[in-house]
């Protein structure tokens, strides 16, 4: 994710809301990819909790590397941890910028409609 001038706060660094949104979107994408890999209907679900810990600042022009881990996938609850790193010039992960857990609830699909007898 490239940090742009529209993403910064009055202090000139990426806004915390932007970091929270990146964590939300990245962890939801991870959930959808796992659904597809397990031949389940990809459903984004709804957030039960979302946390953000701000570790260091990122400025416009920097690129953030996003890493999502999935410690548990339950029947209806999905758990992720996301870390955002500043990307080094050589493309490797640099300093940690922010991290946060995200827990999502996915309701069961509605029952199939009953076939009417005619």
């Amino acid at each position: 994710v490239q940090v742009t001038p529209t993403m910064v706060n009055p202090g000139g660094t990426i806004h915390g809301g932007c970091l929270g949104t990146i964590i939300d979107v990245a962890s939801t994408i991870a959930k959808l990819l796992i659904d597809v890999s397990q031949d389940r209907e990809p459903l984004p679900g709804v957030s039960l909790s979302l946390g953000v810990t701000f570790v260091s600042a990122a400025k416009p022009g920097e690129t953030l590397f996003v890493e999502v881990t999935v410690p548990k996938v339950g029947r209806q609850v999905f758990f992720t941890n996301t870390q955002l790193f500043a990307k080094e010039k050589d493309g490797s992960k640099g300093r940690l910028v922010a991290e946060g857990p995200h827990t999502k609830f996915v309701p069961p699909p509605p029952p199939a409609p009953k076939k009417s007898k005619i």
Side-chain angles (χ1 to χ4, degrees):
V1 176
Q2 181 79 30
V3 179
T4 65
T6 59
M7 299 166 72
V8 302
N9 58 31
T13 60
I14 190 167
H15 192 284
C18 286
L19 293 169
T21 299
I22 294 167
I23 289 171
D24 183 8
V25 171
S27 56
T28 299
I29 290 170
K31 190 245 177 271
L32 295 171
L33 290 172
I34 288 174
D35 285 347
V36 169
S37 74
Q38 295 178 351
D39 292 325
R40 296 190 307 197
E41 181 181 359
L43 299 170
V46 295
S47 295
L48 293 175
S49 67
L50 174 68
V52 183
T53 300
F54 307 105
V55 180
S56 65
K59 295 183 178 183
E62 288 190 86
T63 300
L64 300 180
F65 177 84
V66 181
E67 187 174 281
V68 181
T69 57
V70 181
K72 181 174 180 177
V73 177
R75 283 187 312 114
Q76 293 183 303
V77 182
F78 188 87
F79 301 88
T80 64
N81 290 305
T82 302
Q83 293 183 307
L84 307 175
F85 298 91
K87 196 171 190 181
E88 296 291 338
K89 296 203 185 302
D90 66 2
S92 64
K93 290 189 293 187
R95 73 186 185 288
L96 182 63
V97 174
E99 62 185 346
H102 191 190
T103 305
K104 299 199 81 150
F105 171 74
V106 182
K114 293 182 180 181
K115 294 182 179 180
S116 61
K117 296 179 183 179
I118 299 180

